[in-house]
Amino acid sequence: MTELPDRRLLLVHAHPDDESINNGATMARYAAEGARVTLVTCTLGEHGEVIPAGLRHLTGTALGEHRLGELTAAMRELGVEDFRLLGGKGRYEDSGMMGIADNDDPACLWQADVDEAARELVEVILEVRPQVLVTYDPDGGYGHPDHIQAHRIAMRAAELADDAGWRIPKIYWNRVPRTVADEAFARLQADLPGLPFGKAAVVADVPGVVADERITTVIDGAAHATAKAAAMRAHATQIEVAEPTAPYFALSNELAQPLFTTEYYELVRGERAAEPGAAKETDLFAGVTLGEAS
Ligand SMILES: CC(=O)N[C@H]1[C@@H](O[C@@H]2[C@H](O)[C@H](O)[C@@H](O)[C@H](O)[C@H]2O)O[C@H](CO)[C@@H](O)[C@@H]1O
Ligand SMILES: [Zn+2]
């Protein structure tokens, strides 16, 4: 069996762009530190909207193929080499926003059998043997069907992997602490006139916002802010990032929101291992016994 790096992080996301928005700085940090970072994306985002007018001709499968190119460019910016599509390219299609007819397409992720999809992910887990798994909370952060399914598939795969020979020691959900969100949106209101966006989103538009007490882990990604912004910019059909210094972006709804370079997590499996005297962990691998490679 091939030798594995000591630290191995697995992230499960719904569409190309979610990884950079939620975890770009975390991924860049651990990749730079020599950990193995593995991203599994569940769909190609075929039903996304397209921001640049010059790309509006991309629809359906063409958009999916184009977004795979955007994902590849984003991973290059983050230094992540291992990124995969769940079940292989085109296995599960983008389900569209909750409540639209696309949700009923038999080929879409929302219609997928969760156990069957989870077994696809178990194969990756048994190969990579991650000590840390990152995914969304049960609501998928903001209720998108693909995000909800990605959560269900990731958590079910972790359960199945327990019985298949690899128990992932730590599992985290993407979070944003409410006071951080409130403060960031207050700054955004002051900065909005200088930004290229018409209006500002509101805290309720940000996925995974919870009371500060539920945050267990804070990853300072300031050193990787440029990489995260570049990775988000690579997803040009979905994301518009303000000029390099301004920590703001907008999706195709043109609503400005903060670009966080400190990324937050809630530990939902494993023992919290904060430094003595510290309330929060500052490392996703804290407390993990390394050297469990094959
Ligand atoms: C960040 C994310 O999950 N984006 C999804 C989402 O895209 C949003 C959707 O098109 C919505 O209608 C827009 O108002 C919003 O601005 C978009 O971010 O849903 C898409 C369709 O399922 C998906 O492809 C995209 O990755
Ligand atoms: Zn998404």
Side-chain angles (χ1 to χ4, degrees), residues 38-144:
T38 299
L39 169 67
V40 175
T41 304
C42 295
T43 81
L44 280 173
E46 297 89 345
H47 294 295
E49 297 176 346
V50 175
I51 297 173
L55 295 178
R56 292 268 163 78
H57 61 282
L58 292 169
T59 54
T61 308
L63 179 57
E65 191 64 37
H66 184 85
R67 290 184 70 177
L68 177 57
E70 292 182 338
L71 179 62
T72 303
M75 291 306 98
R76 193 176 309 118
E77 297 292 349
L78 300 180
V80 171
E81 297 173 358
D82 186 6
F83 54 101
R84 316 175 188 205
L85 297 168
L86 183 66
K89 187 174 171 184
R91 175 71 181 80
Y92 299 104
E93 280 198 21
D94 186 337
S95 306
M97 296 291 272
M98 187 61 84
I100 70 171
D102 291 336
N103 298 173
D104 302 326
D105 184 333
C108 78
L109 187 68
W110 187 236
Q111 295 300 326
D113 176 278
V114 170
D115 270 21
E116 182 180 330
R119 285 193 291 272
E120 301 271 10
L121 186 56
V122 169
E123 290 182 25
V124 179
I125 292 171
L126 295 182
E127 174 201 333
V128 172
R129 300 156 65 84
Q131 296 99 346
V132 175
L133 167 64
V134 168
T135 191
Y136 311 109
D137 64 30
D139 187 41
Y142 74 99
H144 189 293

Side-chain angles (χ1 to χ4, degrees), residues 74-227:
M75 291 306 98
R76 193 176 309 118
E77 297 292 349
L78 300 180
V80 171
E81 297 173 358
D82 186 6
F83 54 101
R84 316 175 188 205
L85 297 168
L86 183 66
K89 187 174 171 184
R91 175 71 181 80
Y92 299 104
E93 280 198 21
D94 186 337
S95 306
M97 296 291 272
M98 187 61 84
I100 70 171
D102 291 336
N103 298 173
D104 302 326
D105 184 333
C108 78
L109 187 68
W110 187 236
Q111 295 300 326
D113 176 278
V114 170
D115 270 21
E116 182 180 330
R119 285 193 291 272
E120 301 271 10
L121 186 56
V122 169
E123 290 182 25
V124 179
I125 292 171
L126 295 182
E127 174 201 333
V128 172
R129 300 156 65 84
Q131 296 99 346
V132 175
L133 167 64
V134 168
T135 191
Y136 311 109
D137 64 30
D139 187 41
Y142 74 99
H144 189 293
D146 292 336
H147 286 232
I148 294 170
Q149 279 291 67
H151 161 86
R152 292 172 178 170
I153 291 164
M155 298 306 287
R156 180 59 178 145
E159 285 174 0
L160 294 174
D162 289 353
D163 301 330
W166 181 258
R167 178 171 176 77
I168 301 173
K170 300 186 86 174
I171 300 178
Y172 292 91
W173 292 344
N174 296 311
R175 289 299 193 191
V176 177
R178 181 165 309 284
T179 58
V180 169
D182 288 343
E183 288 161 8
F185 274 86
R187 279 194 303 275
L188 168 53
Q189 283 304 326
D191 294 344
L192 189 59
L195 296 177
F197 310 120
K199 288 174 60 183
V202 294
V203 171
D205 294 322
V206 176
V209 175
V210 291
D212 292 27
E213 299 70 46
R214 291 187 57 180
I215 303 299
T216 59
T217 311
V218 179
I219 301 297
D220 177 354
H224 304 281
T226 303

